Amino acid sequence: DETVHVSFHADTLPDQLRRFPRPVHALSRVLWSTLVLGAALVVAKDHGRLLAHVGVPRRRFLRQVLSDHRRIVAALFRRSVP
């Protein structure tokens, strides 16, 4: 379910985000990153025992989120117009 959800946004959001002026585009990127990183920290803290139970230490979870985040941000917030 999330794979389809993320794919949909990856296909549609870049064109929509490019329409914003540069300052709004930059602010959107900062807010997006803050939301993702905040959510990841909450999940790592609140669900640490569950993550450990399935063999994923909190640090590995956070590293994976950061890795995925960098890739997704590069795709969503690319600017091909000045």
Side-chain angles (χ1 to χ4, degrees):
D1 183 47
E2 273 309 296
T3 302
V4 174
H5 181 218
V6 170
S7 294
F8 167 76
H9 286 299
D11 291 341
T12 59
L13 277 177
D15 290 334
Q16 294 172 2
L17 290 169
R18 269 193 293 273
R19 296 177 189 161
F20 292 127
R22 281 191 186 276
V24 174
H25 190 267
L27 179 61
S28 298
R29 185 177 182 149
V30 168
L31 292 174
W32 181 279
S33 294
T34 302
L35 177 66
V36 168
L37 298 176
L41 289 170
V42 168
V43 169
K45 176 159 180 16
D46 288 351
H47 300 292
R49 286 177 39 193
L50 176 62
L51 288 168
H53 181 73
V54 296
V56 181
R58 288 177 175 153
R59 287 180 190 235
R60 186 182 340 152
F61 170 77
L62 290 171
R63 279 194 307 269
Q64 185 63 52
V65 169
L66 292 174
S67 174
D68 292 344
H69 173 67
R70 282 188 294 271
R71 205 170 26 81
I72 291 167
V73 162
L76 290 182
F77 292 94
R78 66 185 179 269
R79 284 194 65 107
S80 60
V81 295

